[in-house]
Amino acid sequence: MDAAEFRRRGKEMVDYVADYLENIEKRPVYPDLEPGYLRSLIPNEAPLEPESYEDIIKDVERVIMPGVTHWHSPYFFAYFPAASSYPAMVADMLCGAIGCIGFSWAASPACTELETVMLDWLGKMLQLPECFIAGTHGRGGGVIQGTASEATLISLLAARCKAVRRVQTINAKKSESEILSKLVAYTSDQAHSSVERAALIGAVMMRKVPTDNRYAVRREMLKKMVEEDKAAGLIPFYFCATLGTTPSCAFDHLTELGPLCNEENMWMHIDAAYAGSAFICPEFRPLLNGVEFADSFNFNPHKWLLVNFDCSAMWVKERADIIGHWQIPLGRRFRSLKMWFVFRMYGLKGLQAHIRKQVALAKEFESLVRADKRFEICAEVVLGLVCFRLKGSNELNQELLKRITKSREIHLVPCQLSGRFVLRFAICARTTESHHIQQAWQHITQLTFELLQEAI
């Protein structure tokens, strides 16, 4: 493919992508396939001779699209959003074309410097304390990670190193291995599995803190566990707070937990992977109160801020604490281009409007559920997630979800809350509108009617 053909094929691909997204709701949102479907559709080995571009594009529809779960369908209500916007896609094309490996300033100065400035822009949108903003007199700053999972691991590794140095300053005879065996980290029993995985990779003990009746961690329970562990000769060193838990979008109480972590010399990391985008809206910014006590903070613009995957924003209060752990891989893509394009083409007001619209759609769905006495809401609806279930057994709700999935008209996933099987309904696609919510609810109630009729 030379430059001339690239121009032609590139324009064709833009048309294909635009057509795909404009007509995505006509496709079944969830594939009707068995694992291993693809292997029989393509050869067992790569071709010896070049094949035509036309044949490859034909195979996209024949081989790929039947196996795609369409995350950007307005009928996709599973997991959390995967952000998408045309400005971000265009920026990703440019990123791919530049193709720099920005492992240092000299490797591509614009890659390093734009990232620093974009994290400052975003930090100011969130009204982060100045100590987290690189372009101030503070000693902190921001960096783009691939995922929130990476940010959690990096913060834990930095906290571990800091704790080892602190103990050895007091007692130089203690070996690193001896100290590591006594370190203990904490997180919510509602935290994402990646937090526990970070502790496994970091080779430290992690304890899960029980939550209150709103699935949030409170000071009293964490303090009790810390005191127990200190009395047992352990060294509490790290706490990962969650703002917007995966099961129910619950919020740990930062204003209670932050001072405790500071008192105990424990690193506090805040994982706000999904919910963090909402904090650009003044009405949701109070959910971030207490961030001033944190050592690091992270959320994913690639979830809800219209910046395509991957783009996970992380800030630290003290760059010196994390300078050896900025990221896991050495190389890095020019991901800040996506932020630059999106922030400029939407503006803060446009981004706020997107968040507010999706929160309103979640509230609309909540009202539909509450109006039907057969159902119940299982957790407070704060942002764009509604947790609900049929009143009755877990088995009844499992069967309902099974029928929803089999229908392939909408896509939901479950969670467990207080031992109950619960359905999660998350507003995900940028193009979701009220009529999609109404149609989804109509479909759920029709399947519910059929299920309950059979049970009689």
Side-chain angles (χ1 to χ4, degrees):
M1 184 182 287
D2 58 17
E5 186 179 3
F6 174 69
R7 290 178 190 276
R8 186 170 80 256
R9 300 305 189 187
K11 291 171 183 175
E12 290 174 4
M13 181 55 76
V14 168
D15 285 340
Y16 178 87
V17 170
D19 288 342
Y20 165 71
L21 292 173
E22 284 190 329
N23 297 291
I24 194 170
E25 64 181 88
K26 297 177 183 176
R27 297 177 183 260
V29 65
Y30 190 72
D32 184 20
L33 295 167
E34 295 296 326
Y37 89 94
L38 189 145
R39 186 172 290 275
S40 65
L41 299 179
I42 60 176
N44 289 328
E45 297 177 356
L48 186 62
E49 300 293 338
E51 297 186 7
S52 72
Y53 182 82
E54 287 85 357
D55 286 343
I56 297 170
I57 289 300
K58 286 178 185 175
D59 279 350
V60 169
E61 284 295 335
R62 183 181 70 88
V63 178
I64 303 302
M65 285 301 176
V68 171
T69 298
H70 298 286
W71 281 61
H72 302 292
S73 167
Y75 296 113
F76 182 91
F77 304 107
Y79 313 108
F80 276 131
S84 175
S85 69
Y86 293 119
M89 290 182 226
V90 172
D92 242 352
M93 290 174 63
L94 180 57
C95 172
I98 292 173
C100 65
I101 311 297
F103 57 83
S104 68
W105 180 87
S108 195
C111 180
T112 297
E113 296 200 9
L114 185 64
E115 182 168 328
T116 301
V117 176
M118 287 303 98
L119 269 292
D120 277 4
W121 278 20
L122 184 52
K124 291 174 183 176
M125 291 184 205
L126 297 163
Q127 300 176 46
L128 289 182
E130 279 200 358
C131 56
F132 288 101
I133 308 298
T136 66
H137 297 297
R139 295 176 297 186
V143 61
I144 299 175
Q145 305 292 349
T147 64
S149 307
E150 290 178 27
T152 301
L153 173 58
I154 287 163
S155 68
L156 183 137
L157 293 176
R160 188 186 72 171
C161 288
K162 190 174 182 180
V164 169
R165 288 196 302 268
R166 184 173 66 246
V167 174
Q168 288 182 330
T169 299
I170 300 169
N171 188 343
K173 293 182 179 180
K174 280 191 177 289
S175 67
E176 182 173 336
S177 60
E178 184 182 359
I179 297 168
L180 288 176
S181 70
K182 294 184 178 300
L183 293 181
V184 57
Y186 307 87
T187 194
S188 165
D189 62 12
Q190 299 292 304
H192 192 268
S193 61
S194 61
V195 182
E196 188 175 9
R197 191 179 302 125
L200 290 172
I201 297 170
V204 295
M205 184 190 324
M206 177 166 278
R207 297 189 65 191
K208 293 186 177 181
V209 185
T211 50
D212 65 12
N213 59 3
R214 298 175 73 178
Y215 308 107
V217 174
R218 305 300 298 255
R219 176 187 172 101
E220 296 78 16
M221 185 54 72
L222 178 60
K223 183 176 176 62
K224 179 176 180 289
M225 294 176 71
V226 167
E227 289 176 347
E228 289 173 355
D229 289 339
K230 286 168 65 178
L234 299 176
I235 306 170
F237 81 105
Y238 176 88
F239 172 65
C240 180
T242 306
L243 296 182
T245 59
T246 301
S248 66
C249 199
F251 293 81
D252 291 342
H253 293 263
L254 296 187
T255 52
E256 297 179 6
L257 298 162
L260 174 62
C261 290
N262 291 177
E263 292 162 15
E264 298 291 345
N265 217 356
M266 293 165 54
W267 181 298
M268 184 167 80
H269 174 67
I270 300 172
D271 173 11
Y274 161 68
S277 296
F279 305 154
I280 66 169
C281 299
E283 63 269 35
F284 300 123
R285 176 55 179 77
L287 294 169
L288 187 56
N289 287 350
V291 68
E292 62 272 16
F293 300 108
D295 296 276
S296 53
F297 165 66
N298 165 255
F299 84 97
N300 294 339
H302 69 231
K303 275 193 168 66
W304 206 13
L305 210 59
L306 300 173
V307 179
N308 294 13
F309 187 86
D310 60 336
C311 182
S312 187
M314 179 184 187
W315 291 265
V316 290
K317 188 175 285 181
E318 294 282 348
R319 286 193 299 270
D321 289 338
I322 205 169
I323 204 71
H325 305 281
W326 273 119
Q327 62 180 33
I328 295 169
L330 177 62
R332 59 193 301 101
R333 297 189 304 112
F334 203 163
R335 291 175 290 203
S336 57
L337 280 171
K338 295 184 287 190
M339 302 175 79
W340 196 41
F341 274 51
V342 169
F343 294 168
R344 294 181 69 183
M345 295 193 72
Y346 277 89
L348 177 56
K349 288 185 177 179
L351 296 171
Q352 290 171 334
H354 170 66
I355 298 293
R356 287 167 175 151
K357 175 183 176 181
Q358 297 214 320
V359 173
L361 290 172
K363 291 291 186 181
E364 179 179 350
F365 184 79
E366 179 191 15
S367 67
L368 292 171
V369 176
R370 290 191 182 280
D372 191 324
K373 301 305 180 184
R374 297 172 298 178
F375 289 87
E376 59 183 331
I377 296 292
C378 304
E380 182 182 5
V381 179
V382 180
L383 298 176
L385 174 67
V386 182
C387 292
F388 73 107
R389 71 194 302 273
L390 262 175
K391 294 175 181 176
S393 68
N394 285 345
E395 291 73 22
L396 186 67
N397 284 276
Q398 288 169 346
E399 178 61 27
L400 175 59
L401 181 60
K402 182 179 178 181
R403 295 184 183 207
I404 290 171
T405 302
K406 188 177 181 180
S407 75
R408 301 166 64 213
E409 292 194 23
I410 62 174
H411 190 41
L412 278 66
V413 292
C415 69
Q416 290 280 340
L417 294 175
S418 303
R420 297 187 300 170
F421 186 90
V422 172
L423 280 64
R424 295 171 75 263
F425 188 97
I427 309 299
C428 292
R430 174 177 52 84
T431 55
T432 303
E433 301 287 349
S434 176
H435 71 271
H436 297 117
I437 303 300
Q438 297 288 336
Q439 191 168 332
W441 179 242
Q442 185 177 3
H443 182 64
I444 292 169
T445 54
Q446 178 60 38
L447 292 176
T448 299
F449 175 78
E450 294 170 4
L451 174 60
L452 294 178
Q453 284 294 107
E454 291 176 17
I456 296 175

